[in-house]
Amino acid sequence: MSSLSKIEWTDATWNPVRGCTKVSPGCKHCYAERFAERFRGVAGHPFGQGFDLRLVPEKLGEPLRWCQPKMIFVNSMSDLFHPNVPDSFILQVVETMLLARWHTYQVLTKRPDRLKKMLNGPLREAAAEKHIWWGVSVENRRHGLPRISDLQATPAAVRFLSIEPLLEDVGTLSLDGISWVIVGGESGPGARPMEESWVVSLQKQCKVAGVPFFFKQWGGVRKKVHGRTLRGRTHDGFPKRVNNPSLPATLRLQHARDIEQSALVQIAVG
Ligand code: SF4
C-alpha cells in the first residue's frame, strides 16, 4: 500500500492491521472491504487474505521511516480497537506514535467502548498527547450518539467525529470537548443519499460551538460529479497541529527495527 492518501483530510495512511468485521450500518459499503476482497487469494499481495483481520508487525515502525511531518490516518483499512487485535499490539502501535511524534495521527474507531477503556487505562499517557487525535464514526443517531458519549468520557487531548457516511439527520449533537468534525456522504456503488439540510445543521452547530468543520464530500455513485462544496464554498477546518521535533535518522531507524522485531517475537511465541 502506498503511504500517500487520496482521503481529503489526511496526508498518508498507515496500516499495521489489515481487515475488519462489520459492526453497524455505516459499515454496509465499507470501502476497505471492497478493496481488500478484490485481492483475496492473490499470492504475495498485502490483501491476499481478503478482508480477514491480520496483524502486520513488519509495518509497525513505518512512521519512524518518514522524516517529513505528515498527518497520518491510522488503520484506514481496519479498526485498531477491533476485538481480535491484542492489547499488546495496540500498545506497540501507540509506542510508534509516541516515538515518531513529529507526525500527527488520526485514530478513528467504531468500537469506542474499548477506546474508552484503554485511554482511561494503559493509553492514558498517549491520550494526553496533542499530536494524537482520537475519533469515532457517527453515521446515525442510534449508533453514533453513544459513540460520542464514550469519546467524551476519555481523557483524550484531541477528540474528533467522522460523521460519514451521514445516513440521517443526527439532530443536535453534544460537541463538548470535541476539537474537530468531519462530515461526508457515502460514495461508490449503492451509495445512500445525504440531504443538504442534515449537513447544514451540523455546519451551523460547529460554527456556534467554535469547532473546526471539514466537509469531505457529497458522495454518490460518481463522487467527483457532486464535489465537496457546501452552499458555494469548501469547508476545510482542522484542529491546530503541534510541531514536535524529529529524531536523527539512525535513531529513528533503530527504533523502527526494535519495535518490529519485538512484535514479531511476541507473535511467534503466541
Ligand atoms: S469498522 Fe470501518 S473498517 Fe471495519 S468494517 Fe466497518 S467501516 Fe469497514
Side-chain angles (χ1 to χ4, degrees):
M1 294 292 292
S2 159
S3 66
L4 298 175
S5 175
K6 288 184 185 159
I7 299 169
E8 291 80 354
W9 47 261
T10 198
D11 299 326
T13 55
W14 169 42
N15 284 287
V17 183
R18 297 183 190 132
C20 192
T21 51
K22 299 184 178 191
V23 281
S24 65
C27 299
K28 185 175 179 191
H29 299 133
C30 173
Y31 74 91
E33 179 192 38
R34 197 184 298 144
F35 178 88
E37 286 299 334
R38 281 170 33 206
F39 300 100
R40 182 178 286 279
V42 177
H45 191 279
F47 287 96
Q49 284 186 225
F51 202 44
D52 300 347
L53 191 133
R54 183 161 82 82
L55 307 181
V56 195
E58 65 273 23
K59 284 275 182 186
L60 269 175
E62 196 167 49
L64 287 155
R65 298 193 173 88
W66 299 335
C67 61
Q68 293 301 323
K70 297 177 195 283
M71 271 192 298
I72 301 175
F73 179 13
V74 180
N75 278 336
S76 63
M77 300 296 290
S78 182
D79 186 331
L80 184 62
F81 294 98
H82 189 286
N84 292 354
V85 182
D87 279 4
S88 58
F89 197 82
I90 295 176
L91 293 176
Q92 283 168 318
V93 170
V94 171
E95 189 184 344
T96 292
M97 296 196 274
L98 292 173
L99 285 167
R101 51 193 297 109
W102 52 95
H103 301 303
T104 300
Y105 298 90
Q106 300 153 318
V107 185
L108 179 61
T109 187
K110 284 191 176 73
R111 287 153 171 111
D113 41 351
R114 193 172 183 201
L115 169 86
K116 181 170 79 172
K117 204 167 150 196
M118 291 196 77
L119 289 190
N120 280 296
L123 298 183
R124 191 167 267 279
E125 181 197 347
E129 293 284 351
K130 290 190 173 150
H131 72 288
I132 309 178
W133 302 352
W134 304 93
V136 295
S137 299
V138 175
E139 72 268 50
N140 61 15
R141 280 184 288 259
R142 182 174 157 219
H143 297 87
L145 303 191
R147 289 186 190 133
I148 298 175
S149 302
D150 279 344
L151 180 65
Q152 287 165 326
T154 71
V158 183
R159 306 180 188 91
F160 71 98
L161 308 180
S162 172
I163 307 183
E164 184 195 4
L166 178 57
L167 299 177
E168 65 179 14
D169 180 1
V170 288
T172 302
L173 300 182
S174 163
L175 293 175
D176 291 347
I178 302 298
S179 303
W180 190 31
V181 169
I182 303 164
V183 175
E186 192 165 49
S187 60
R192 292 161 283 182
M194 177 177 72
E195 291 187 15
E196 186 186 78
S197 60
W198 307 345
V199 184
V200 170
S201 165
L202 290 165
Q203 188 257 324
K204 284 185 178 163
Q205 290 179 53
C206 287
K207 194 169 178 190
V208 168
V211 175
F213 175 80
F214 190 102
F215 183 53
K216 181 169 176 262
Q217 61 184 34
W218 287 106
V221 177
R222 287 158 57 227
K223 76 171 198 173
K224 280 197 180 142
V225 174
H226 304 291
R228 52 183 303 269
T229 57
L230 174 65
R231 297 205 163 166
R233 56 161 287 205
T234 52
H235 296 261
D236 292 327
F238 278 95
K240 199 166 179 299
R241 288 170 69 177
V242 286
N243 293 314
N244 291 323
S246 183
L247 293 174
T250 45
L251 199 51
R252 286 192 288 108
L253 300 178
Q254 186 60 53
H255 281 317
R257 283 192 293 269
D258 289 350
I259 286 176
E260 288 164 3
Q261 192 55 39
S262 130
L264 283 164
V265 169
Q266 268 188 32
I267 288 170
V269 297

